[in-house]
Amino acid sequence: MDEAIATYDVVVIGAGPVGENVAERARAAGLSTVIVERELLGGECSFWACEPSKALLRPVVPHADARRVPELSHAVDGPLDVDAVLAYRDRMAAYWKVDDQVDWLDSVSVDLIRGHGRLTGPRQVSVETSDEGTVQLTARHAVALCTGTGTGTALPEIPGLGTVRPWTNREATGADRVPGRLAVVGGGVVAVELATTWQALSSQVTMLARGDEPLAKMEPFAGELVADGLREAGVDIRLGASATSVTRESGADGELRITLADGEEWTADDILFATGRAPRTTDIGLETVGLTPGDWLTVDDTCRVTAVADGVEPAVGDGGHRALTTHQGKYQARIAGAAIGARATGEPVDNARWGAHAATADHAAVPQVVFTTPEIASVGLTTHEAERTGRRVEVVDYDLAHLAGAQQYAKDYRGRARMLIDADHGTVAGVTFAGPGVAELLHSATIAVAGEVPIERLWHAVPAFPTISEVWLRLLETYREKAR
């Protein structure tokens, strides 16, 4: 087999949104950069997660919203056009083609090697390609590990699971047919979003969740409202349910039989596991730099892996196990790329302008949207997290249905807002919104939390009337009344 050897300032393993951002920032710092990818450029988010899943949900949410407006409800009585929804999904996933990503890499002068990259030592990478043999790469300054979770759905060890062809997020977002009956195992964000999607596309969905409510890591009222929305849509939610075995009857297309821990049996045509993610670090040569294959990687605020002796290899995005969202991974990538450039030029990383080389938002201001009906939007601490960490907060709640903007949105609007105020500093420590149309409130909340805006100044951020953003004024008024 032929072998090529090349040297770059920076080698990036993984060409998802995170890897692309690291590469762009490193290149902008004047460093020669190559990116290595064995699957589709753009990664999980572009083709099997964020983009296709939100494309599937995009028709679902306005369809549900229109039903809440009496003058429009008659126009949306029928089901969604499944073929049209799937066609829209295909378009938003670029038909699983990477031409735009290749053009973009060319435009920023980042080289591309297609193949499976593995570390072979500090700043050394071997790439097995399908058509160019093996390529040996040396990085003068850093190898950035941006493999994320990829296909790493954390499937449980259940007898029979390996023989029934279970769905993960990839099968669920890329499916070209609607299963008659779909069992969704899990109660987190992926589970509730995909249950919302497939129930709206005329599948009969059963959710098997171990906990007492979906979305256990968020404020309890968020999970309660999402559960209510799923039930109203027709989803059968089985709480406290755990699958112990799975079998498929009568061949590859036969009925699935699911046995639960309490001995009850359940049947379905397909089963989707949304039970968390595992790091995609098993086969990337971690052992050659003193790390354990398959582990999450501990990183500092500049995204360097703390356990690597020379502290050079950064792990950016999901693999660093800080905040497992695409937008947070891209944020880390911008910081890591800039930090690599700073170190290469001798700039003091800890004195960077605007704090650009420290991922402080990972600790206190991580935003998240759950695209269900209703939507959930949150940033910063939850009440439980504040209690667990000993943070003194004051909890302020408000019923969104009292807002004129919410009444414009839907006659029977149901929603809730919660703001946590840091009792020692008089700033917003966390916000959660639950209700139709709340996703667009999130960035204002993120600015309030990340910017540590004093409550006294928030009084002067005037919300437009009649919009749901008026909730900010009502939360502040409620806080003032409580303080009297």
Side-chain angles (χ1 to χ4, degrees):
M1 180 178 290
D2 295 335
E3 183 171 286
I5 300 173
T7 299
Y8 290 85
D9 291 325
V10 179
V11 177
V12 180
I13 302 179
V18 173
E20 290 176 339
N21 272 269
V22 172
E24 179 188 29
R25 289 304 168 102
R27 192 69 191 91
L31 304 179
S32 61
T33 305
V34 63
I35 198 164
V36 178
E37 177 57 62
R38 68 177 182 180
E39 291 192 303
L40 299 180
L41 305 182
E44 194 79 3
C45 180
S46 297
F47 299 109
W48 299 288
C50 313
E51 294 282 359
S53 70
K54 301 314 170 284
L56 289 169
L57 283 161
R58 182 68 187 100
V60 173
V61 174
H63 188 258
D65 289 343
R67 286 180 167 178
R68 298 186 181 96
V69 181
E71 292 75 12
L72 289 178
S73 58
H74 68 282
V76 290
D77 282 341
L80 289 166
D81 183 332
V82 173
D83 289 340
V85 172
L86 296 183
Y88 176 66
R89 182 272 319 272
D90 293 350
R91 178 166 67 84
M92 294 305 293
Y95 304 99
W96 290 271
K97 298 182 183 300
V98 298
D99 297 356
D100 288 346
Q101 279 87 350
V102 171
D103 291 344
W104 178 80
L105 285 178
D106 288 341
S107 73
V108 295
S109 300
V110 172
D111 289 347
L112 168 66
I113 298 177
R114 295 178 181 272
H116 180 52
R118 296 181 181 86
L119 289 165
T120 56
R123 297 186 299 282
Q124 302 292 322
V125 175
S126 178
V127 185
E128 297 176 11
T129 72
S130 60
D131 55 359
E132 298 178 12
T134 302
V135 179
Q136 303 292 345
L137 300 174
T138 297
R140 296 186 186 92
H141 298 293
V143 174
L145 306 177
C146 304
T147 55
T149 53
T151 57
T153 298
L155 293 173
E157 294 183 3
I158 295 177
L161 188 59
T163 65
V164 301
R165 294 178 290 109
W167 281 12
T168 66
N169 68 290
R170 288 199 169 194
E171 290 77 19
T173 57
D176 58 5
R177 61 178 178 83
V178 178
R181 297 164 301 168
L182 177 65
V184 176
V185 180
V189 174
V190 174
V192 296
E193 287 189 347
L194 291 174
T196 298
T197 295
W198 289 105
Q199 183 68 36
L201 295 178
S202 301
S203 183
Q204 177 53 58
V205 175
T206 299
M207 177 179 286
L208 306 174
R210 288 185 177 182
D212 296 332
E213 289 290 348
L215 303 178
K217 294 183 179 180
M218 307 187 87
E219 294 285 6
F221 66 82
E224 292 168 6
L225 284 169
V226 167
D228 289 345
L230 288 169
R231 291 188 181 102
E232 289 174 8
V235 176
D236 184 2
I237 301 179
R238 315 279 293 196
L239 299 173
S242 179
T244 57
S245 69
V246 183
T247 58
R248 189 179 288 278
E249 308 290 338
S250 304
D253 297 320
E255 182 178 77
L256 275 171
R257 190 169 300 277
I258 306 160
T259 303
L260 304 183
D262 62 4
E264 183 179 4
E265 289 192 344
W266 206 255
T267 56
D269 298 302
D270 287 286
I271 186 167
L272 162 65
F273 281 87
T275 47
R277 307 291 289 172
R280 198 177 185 182
T281 61
T282 302
D283 189 23
I284 59 171
L286 292 185
E287 67 280 1
T288 69
V289 291
L291 300 173
T292 303
D295 277 2
W296 297 103
L297 303 175
T298 301
V299 299
D300 63 19
D301 281 350
T302 65
C303 298
R304 287 196 302 181
V305 181
T306 56
V308 175
D310 61 8
V312 171
E313 283 78 11
V316 188
D318 290 355
H321 207 215
R322 291 168 68 94
L324 306 187
T325 62
T326 296
H327 48 268
Q328 213 68 17
K330 291 165 69 174
Y331 160 72
Q332 296 162 14
R334 294 191 293 270
I335 288 167
I340 292 169
R343 291 190 182 97
T345 58
E347 176 188 339
V349 174
D350 56 354
N351 292 322
R353 293 179 64 195
W354 307 320
H357 302 335
T360 57
D362 288 345
H363 305 299
V366 177
Q368 183 173 23
V369 177
V370 186
F371 294 90
T372 45
T373 55
E375 293 174 338
I376 309 297
S378 69
V379 63
L381 295 178
T382 63
T383 308
H384 173 72
E385 289 168 341
E387 292 173 350
R388 180 179 59 81
T389 58
R391 185 94 168 261
R392 287 201 320 124
V393 297
E394 298 183 51
V395 180
V396 185
D397 288 331
Y398 192 79
D399 185 345
L400 292 174
H402 295 159
L403 299 170
Q407 291 296 317
Q408 292 279 350
Y409 206 95
K411 182 179 180 180
D412 62 345
Y413 192 102
R414 284 179 291 169
R416 186 172 171 184
R418 171 168 290 180
M419 178 171 65
L420 304 184
I421 297 177
D422 187 304
D424 297 318
H425 299 94
T427 57
V428 180
V431 183
T432 298
F433 301 113
V438 300
E440 297 304 329
L441 294 175
L442 185 56
H443 196 57
S444 60
T446 303
I447 291 171
V449 174
E452 299 178 342
V453 180
I455 292 296
E456 290 81 1
R457 288 306 305 163
L458 282 180
W459 278 104
H460 303 283
V462 181
F465 180 89
T467 67
I468 302 175
S469 64
E470 197 178 16
V471 67
W472 282 106
L473 174 60
R474 303 308 175 202
L475 285 167
L476 291 170
E477 289 176 338
T478 302
Y479 171 61
R480 181 178 61 184
E481 290 301 316
K482 288 182 65 174
R484 285 179 176 175

